[in-house]
Each structure stands twice: as structure tokens, then as C-alpha cells.
Amino acid sequence: MAYENIIAKKKGKVGLITLNRPDALNALNTELNLEMGKALDKFEADDQIGCIVITGSEKAFAAGADVKEMQPKSYMQAYKEDFLHPWERVARCRVPVIAAVSGYALGGGCELAMMCDFIIAADTAVFGQPEINLAILPGAGGTQRLTRLVGKSKAMEMCLTGRFMDAEEAERAGLVSRVVPADTLLDDALKTAEKIASFSRPAVFMVKESVDRAYETTLAEGILFERRLFYSTFAMADQKEGMQAFIDKRSAAFKNE
Ligand code: DAK
């Protein structure tokens, strides 16, 4: 399917989505969000796709929601049309999603990156929640996810002052999993995605569900949830195959069952 604001490609078992509004530094408008939702639907429905990478350009992952689209909206319009809600689709994706961030990830761009399962950052990456400059606040989870990822003090400072964080600080603070040279960012992200996609798809889904649970429940509930999922892997053909392959000293051939 041809899109106008993104490029979606299959790279073996990896789905690659490249945000593609270079003239607007990949500002996220309604069309782009809808297209991204469609691409995610397609990748998720494809049993061959085991991981997704979302990336932008060298200069910008995304410089935020599209301010030009947002500026004239009335309260009633935004409320009735559930403005930008389809965006949350990324956070609901069952297939793991990696954000490969180079350059600006600001406002909604930073929020989009944080909706992904983890962020690999180029050494040029810059993160920020500058909405306060526009007399608004982060609207796609910025005050919540950033606070959980980097703690209250840093999140509060960033949201209240609009200060940007460079890649090194972002790694130190736990916002990104790894910083890599800008020119190898996509290769590194794709290699990581290929690794994830080489495993049993249902086992990967369970790992993701269980780690996500850590954010949404108490430790005791989370441990119980993990234990239930753990036992359920013994109903999978892939668990039998994975363990037998280890015993036989050969590579496992998973069937996603
Ligand atoms: N929206 C629209 N256009 C943008 C944009 C944006 N966020 N960011 C950049 N552009 C456009 C610029 O207007 C310019 O267009 P032309 O003038 O050439 O037509 C072009 O991209 C190049 O930008 P600059 O000329 O400004 O480039 P510089 O290198 O000088 O500066 C910059 C780069 C990233 C520092 C600067 O562009 C900038 O400060 N951009 C705005 C950053 C920002 O404030 N971001 C937060 C936006 S508010 C919600 C979900 C999400 C949100 C809200 C609700 N719901 C689910 C309800 C999110 C809100 C936001 O993200």
C-alpha cells in the first residue's frame, strides 16, 4: 500500500516504518498517524513479522505534533474527534516496536518514541517536551511515560522548562536503551529487531506483555502474571522445540505455535 506521510517496508521478518514529512521535520499530523496505524495493523496481522522499527530522518525523528494543524482547533472539535487518539495505536501493538531516533524527538515525537518498547538513539538524538512554550502540556503520555522512565525530578524539569536532553543524558537517565553512532543507527536497530524476530513470536509477545505489566501493577501481581504466562509457554510447540534444540545442540526451528 502506498502512503504519503510514511514509508512502510518489510525487511525479512522486520517491519520498518520511516516517518516521511521531511519539510516539516516529521511533524505528526492526523494523516500520518492514520497511516502509521494502518501499517501497524498490517504488520501485526502478518505472522512473518516479528518486530517493528519506527524511525525518522537524520535531522528529526519527529519534531512533535503538527502545530500548524493544531493551532486553530477548538476545544469541542478536539474533544469530539478525539484528536490524535489513533496515535495510541503504537502503544497497543502486540509486536515489539523499537524507536530508532536520530535528531529531534520533541513533544509528540518524544511521546511516540516512548510509546515504543525501547529506544535506540543516535549520538545526535535530542529529546524534549517543549509544549510549555506553546502554553499546552504533553498530550500523548509525556508527563506519565517520561516520569516513569527518568523519574519525577528530571521529567518535571523537562516538562516545566522545555529543556532538551541529549543522547548521552538520555542513556544515563534510562530513557534510551543504547546510544550508537548516527551513521549506524538504522543498521543497529534493524539487527536488534532481526534478533527479536528470530525467536518464537508468541514467546516474544508474552515477554513484552509481562515486562509491560511492571508499569501497571504491584510487584506481587506482576510476579503472579509472569508466573501464569511462564506456565503457559509449556503448552507451546515452540517451547518443546526450543528446549529440544538446546539438548540436541542445534538451532531451533520455531513455528510460532
Ligand atoms: N509542527 C509543524 N511544523 C513544524 C514543527 C511542528 N511541531 N516543527 C518544525 N516544523 C516545521 C517548521 O515550521 C519549518 O517549516 P517551514 O517554516 O519551513 O514551512 C520546518 O519544519 C523546519 O523547521 P525549523 O525551520 O524550525 O527548523 P530548525 O532547525 O530551525 O529548528 C526545531 C528545529 C525542532 C528546534 C524547531 O522546528 C522547533 O522548535 N519545532 C517545534 C517543536 C515543538 O514545539 N514541538 C512540540 C509540539 S506540541 C495529543 C498528542 C500529542 C500532542 C498533543 C496532543 N493528543 C493525543 C491529544 C503533542 C503536542 C506537541 O508535540
Side-chain angles (χ1 to χ4, degrees):
M1 172 165 184
Y3 299 108
E4 284 176 15
N5 301 279
I6 63 168
I7 300 165
K9 271 192 207 150
K10 271 171 80 161
K11 296 230 164 214
K13 292 181 169 185
V14 176
L16 173 63
I17 298 178
T18 306
L19 308 179
N20 190 32
R21 295 189 71 208
D23 295 344
L25 301 185
N26 293 330
L28 303 158
N29 63 5
T30 302
E31 271 309 302
L32 185 151
N33 281 313
L34 288 171
E35 289 180 6
M36 194 159 47
K38 281 183 195 153
L40 290 171
D41 286 345
K42 263 185 111 177
F43 286 146
E44 200 172 67
D46 183 343
D47 200 36
Q48 293 310 306
I49 294 291
C51 193
I52 294 167
V53 173
I54 300 182
T55 195
S57 68
E58 206 181 316
K59 179 166 179 185
F61 177 72
D66 191 320
V67 178
K68 293 167 191 169
E69 181 185 34
M70 235 176 339
Q71 193 276 339
K73 285 228 179 277
S74 70
Y75 166 77
M76 215 57 251
Q77 261 177 314
Y79 183 76
K80 284 209 284 202
E81 72 193 32
D82 211 359
F83 179 54
L84 294 179
H85 179 70
W87 196 307
E88 280 284 332
R89 174 71 185 82
V90 180
R92 286 188 288 101
C93 194
R94 296 188 81 193
V95 180
V97 185
I98 302 174
V101 174
S102 173
Y104 296 112
L106 303 178
C110 187
E111 291 172 306
L112 172 63
M114 291 190 292
M115 277 180 207
C116 298
D117 294 297
F118 59 95
I119 302 172
I120 300 181
D123 47 12
T124 57
V126 174
F127 299 87
Q129 297 290 163
E131 288 88 343
I132 193 68
N133 293 310
L134 307 170
I136 57 169
L137 70 154
T143 61
Q144 306 304 301
R145 290 196 177 94
L146 187 64
T147 308
R148 282 168 165 79
L149 285 165
V150 306
K152 178 181 168 186
S153 193
K154 232 179 233 300
M156 190 67 96
E157 187 205 344
M158 286 177 70
C159 292
L160 282 177
T161 66
R163 177 175 81 79
F164 296 167
M165 198 192 262
D166 65 19
E168 198 187 308
E169 184 182 1
E171 186 182 27
R172 224 172 36 237
L175 176 58
V176 311
S177 70
R178 225 151 25 98
V179 179
V180 299
D183 54 1
T184 66
L185 172 71
L186 191 57
D187 278 353
D188 287 337
L190 286 172
K191 262 189 216 133
T192 307
E194 277 156 22
K195 176 88 183 160
I196 294 168
S198 73
F199 299 125
S200 163
R201 206 175 189 241
V204 162
F205 283 14
M206 287 186 203
V207 170
K208 171 170 165 155
E209 266 184 73
S210 199
V211 174
D212 275 343
R213 204 70 183 178
Y215 279 101
E216 281 153 27
T217 189
T218 61
L219 179 62
E221 287 298 318
I223 297 280
L224 187 61
F225 181 82
E226 179 193 80
R227 183 80 37 87
R228 294 287 163 253
L229 280 182
F230 178 83
Y231 291 148
S232 71
T233 62
F234 287 82
M236 285 168 33
D238 285 348
Q239 175 267 333
K240 297 285 170 280
E241 167 62 10
M243 291 194 179
Q244 193 59 53
F246 171 79
I247 294 164
D248 297 347
K249 301 187 188 301
R250 60 174 171 84
S251 307
F254 295 124
K255 293 187 182 143
N256 294 340
E257 284 168 8

